[in-house]
Amino acid sequence: MTVTAPSTAAGPPPEPAGFGPFAHLTVPNTPLYRQVMRVFLVAKERFAVHLRPEEVHAALPADVRPAELEAVAAALDRLVVWGNLRADPDTARVTAVEDFYRKRFIYQLTREGEAAEAALSAYDEALGRRGALQAVALHDIVTQLRALLVLAAEEEPDPAKAHLALDTLASRFAALADNARAFMGSLQRTIDLHDVEEEVFLAYKDRLIQYLERFIQDLITLGGRIARLILELEERGRVDPLLRAAARREAADASPEETADAEREVYERWAARWAGLGAWFISRDGRESQARLLRGRALGAIPQLLAVVRALHERRAGRSDRSADFRTLARWFAEAPDDDARHQLWRAAFGLYPARHLTIDADTLAARAARPVPAATPWAGAEPLRISPQLRRTGSYERRGKPRKVEDREARRRALAEAAAKQAAETAAARVRLVTDGVTRLSELGELDPASFGLFLQLLGDALATWRPGMRHTVATSNDGAMEIRLTALADGTTAEVRTLGGVFSGPDHLIEIVDLAYGPVLTDGAALTDGEALTDGDALTDGVLGR
């Protein structure tokens, strides 16, 4: 491989300006410069600060290594000019007076060059990253939050345990958020593909939809639990001592010049991380949480994928679409022999003909009723139409009259307010009716009114959505985070009946406990599936069947 040696720099290199450390990306020998910089990064990881040209030459990969050492020395000098490296005289190997007159340098990374390589590494990583929806990270977040609750209950929490739990929680949450953003970006690029191979896309579509359904179910199940744990830690400031303990332990390793403000700055970083975690899972101040937005975006991706599938099927069936029609029409316009033919094609395609603006009044209607004109009569042979002079002059004609009366909608607004208050009262009464005094049997719930029965079905559906084969007990939260249902299967084979005005609901008997969690107006994001969002198979509740 032949490498053209760049010109050597004479004298002290100029100070790099602007984005000089990135200049080696736009020159012919870019692969050589990138590999040289990578050699310096690897050397720094091994705590080697300075490198000589022969050491760099030996460390280069064989596919980019020049045959002559001078080419590497020239590349090092160019990187010094751009500000990526710094050259210092190599006086360690001077053994004679003549050696002082030879150009011998040792090279090391500059701060600018290291920052440029870090940026390029992040760029390469972002290009190759696809991202993933990490359901396992949700379970890990729940585990770490429970560990923090245990530490918060202690009078003097162990700083090491608090710092380790918070650090693990922050890293798992950061990985979850970053991977979710990367995955949704790659998902949108997949949806926007136009010339993808049909068989490959159809096979990928099935796996992707199953993947989205599984993650959405886990996000619904664990999102409310995470939100409740965060609120418990924030209650009466229980999480603040843990954040300060972690900040003190981390600030102990600060350098001497940063000791004065280290603890305060570290605590502010931990407080910001905790606020970001809360904003991801809890809706506050009229702003939807990131988990809710992610769930909505993932749910919206499914019909978009199906729309792409329909478009592929239509393309396979040879059906014409509007874009194909317009392209065909444009070709006809281009092939038309003259303007007259193009005008005729325009009228035939769009049905737009020259129009006559006219005004119709009672006298005109009476005259037409007395002397009707057949529809087949040519305009040239029909009676002339009288056009309003104002319409001819200004292009518009408006009859003056009284303005319309302002409609009073106070009664409608009052009716809507009364309906909303009635619905809220019915919901509150239904919650009071469903709350159980400890654990009871499903068969002992008694008769339920329509509002209570509807709320009961929602709670029961949320509990059954978390059920897995082999499970005997499950816990779920209502869509507003105000109620919790705990369901335990029985092995005695008994049947439960819940009577309502619409009939009898029956199924296998279970132990059930319904708890009211609403101590105040709390907005959490543990929302259950709303209407039309039930995506998992086997979770539907059919007549006479309770459970899977």
Side-chain angles (χ1 to χ4, degrees):
M1 175 179 181
T2 302
V3 180
T4 303
S7 60
T8 59
E15 190 71 21
F19 299 98
F22 293 95
H24 65 288
L25 303 177
T26 59
V27 294
N29 286 334
T30 294
L32 175 61
Y33 293 125
R34 291 296 306 275
Q35 291 298 331
V36 168
M37 293 300 297
R38 193 160 300 169
V39 168
F40 278 90
L41 290 177
V42 173
K44 186 173 182 180
E45 293 176 356
R46 298 173 181 173
F47 306 104
V49 179
H50 298 90
L51 291 178
R52 293 182 173 88
E54 55 268 22
E55 294 173 341
V56 176
H57 183 269
L60 286 173
D63 56 341
V64 297
R65 183 190 302 148
E68 301 296 333
L69 179 61
E70 287 74 12
V72 176
L76 292 172
D77 291 337
R78 294 302 300 169
L79 289 170
V80 170
V81 173
W82 292 323
N84 301 81
L85 300 176
R86 192 184 79 183
D88 296 315
D90 186 7
T91 59
R93 294 187 296 175
V94 175
T95 58
V97 177
E98 292 80 6
D99 292 337
F100 279 101
Y101 296 99
R102 296 178 182 175
K103 189 180 67 171
R104 295 178 181 271
F105 292 102
I106 55 177
Y107 301 88
Q108 73 176 68
L109 274 174
T110 62
R111 185 175 59 180
E112 293 82 359
E114 188 175 357
E117 290 303 310
L120 292 174
S121 299
Y123 177 78
D124 293 336
E125 181 183 357
L127 283 183
R129 185 179 184 185
R130 294 188 60 85
L133 299 177
Q134 298 176 316
V136 177
L138 295 173
H139 292 275
D140 294 343
I141 290 174
V142 171
T143 301
Q144 297 304 321
L145 288 174
R146 287 174 175 169
L148 290 175
L149 272 178
V150 174
L151 290 172
E154 300 177 358
E155 294 183 1
E156 294 183 1
D158 187 346
K161 293 181 179 179
H163 183 262
L164 180 60
L166 285 170
D167 186 65
T168 306
L169 175 65
S171 62
R172 296 301 287 154
F173 168 66
L176 171 68
D178 292 342
N179 279 278
R181 286 192 293 268
F183 178 83
M184 297 312 296
S186 62
L187 175 62
Q188 187 60 50
R189 287 191 295 271
T190 301
I191 294 174
D192 293 339
L193 289 178
H194 298 289
D195 298 326
V196 66
E197 295 183 9
E198 297 181 14
E199 300 299 334
V200 175
F201 179 81
L202 293 177
Y204 173 70
K205 177 264 304 180
D206 294 333
R207 297 195 303 271
L208 180 59
I209 290 180
Q210 294 176 5
Y211 182 70
L212 290 173
E213 290 177 353
R214 185 169 64 253
F215 177 78
I216 291 169
Q217 181 179 357
D218 289 333
L219 185 60
I220 291 171
T221 304
L222 299 175
R225 197 174 304 172
I226 292 174
R228 187 167 65 252
L229 290 172
I230 293 174
L231 291 173
E232 290 180 14
L233 283 167
E234 292 180 350
E235 185 179 1
R236 298 189 299 275
R238 298 167 65 184
V239 73
D240 192 68
L242 301 179
L243 298 177
R244 293 189 180 278
R248 283 194 300 271
R249 186 170 187 269
E250 189 173 333
D253 295 332
S255 58
E257 62 271 13
E258 298 177 352
T259 304
D261 299 328
E263 183 175 343
R264 177 182 57 81
E265 294 176 356
V266 174
Y267 171 74
E268 290 177 355
R269 285 200 300 269
W270 277 114
R273 293 172 186 171
W274 181 263
L277 176 66
W280 221 86
F281 289 99
I282 302 177
S283 300
R284 287 172 172 158
D285 301 329
R287 180 193 54 77
E288 285 191 321
S289 66
Q290 294 296 319
R292 182 182 290 273
L293 295 175
L294 174 62
R295 192 180 66 223
R297 182 65 187 86
L299 285 171
I302 295 178
Q304 292 182 15
L305 284 170
L306 297 179
V308 174
V309 173
R310 286 194 299 270
L312 291 176
H313 283 306
E314 291 180 358
R315 185 191 305 174
R316 179 184 299 176
R319 293 179 54 184
S320 177
D321 56 6
R322 182 172 298 180
S323 59
D325 293 341
F326 279 125
R327 285 193 295 268
T328 302
L329 184 60
R331 187 175 69 252
W332 289 351
F333 272 106
E335 296 173 352
D338 49 31
D339 286 344
D340 293 337
R342 295 186 185 95
H343 285 301
Q344 186 177 0
L345 178 60
W346 172 269
R347 289 193 295 269
F350 300 103
L352 299 178
Y353 299 89
R356 291 186 179 183
H357 301 280
L358 64 154
T359 178
I360 299 295
D361 53 14
D363 297 336
T364 306
L365 293 176
R368 288 191 175 184
R371 295 185 300 276
V373 179
T377 304
W379 282 27
E383 293 185 4
L385 298 175
R386 290 178 172 80
I387 307 300
S388 169
Q390 180 180 0
L391 178 63
R392 255 180 148 173
R393 184 175 62 256
T394 63
S396 63
Y397 179 77
E398 180 181 357
R399 290 184 178 274
R400 300 187 178 275
K402 295 182 179 179
R404 295 183 60 183
K405 295 182 178 179
V406 178
E407 186 177 355
D408 186 7
R409 294 185 172 87
E410 183 64 29
R412 296 182 184 178
R413 286 197 294 267
R414 191 183 306 111
L416 290 175
E418 292 174 355
K422 180 180 178 182
Q423 184 178 3
E426 291 177 351
T427 303
R431 287 172 52 184
V432 173
R433 168 66 181 83
L434 287 180
V435 171
T436 60
D437 187 10
V439 180
T440 185
R441 282 178 172 265
L442 185 59
S443 55
E444 297 176 359
L445 283 181
E447 185 173 351
L448 298 178
D449 58 90
S452 301
F453 184 64
L455 182 57
F456 168 72
L457 286 182
Q458 292 180 9
L459 288 172
L460 192 58
D462 295 339
L464 294 179
T466 65
W467 205 275
R468 298 291 186 275
M471 290 179 58
R472 307 295 300 174
H473 178 75
T474 188
V475 179
T477 310
S478 62
N479 57 353
D480 57 356
M483 302 192 73
E484 183 178 81
I485 179 172
R486 303 164 186 171
L487 196 64
T488 304
L490 296 175
D492 54 6
T494 57
T495 302
E497 291 187 354
V498 179
R499 298 188 178 277
T500 66
L501 296 178
V504 178
F505 177 79
S506 62
D509 203 1
H510 287 64
L511 292 179
I512 188 172
E513 183 180 7
I514 301 177
V515 182
D516 192 349
L517 302 176
Y519 296 105
V522 179
L523 293 176
T524 67
D525 195 39
L529 288 176
T530 57
D531 295 341
E533 294 182 2
L535 299 174
T536 56
D537 296 332
D539 288 343
L541 199 62
T542 58
D543 294 340
V545 178
L546 180 58
R548 298 185 179 223

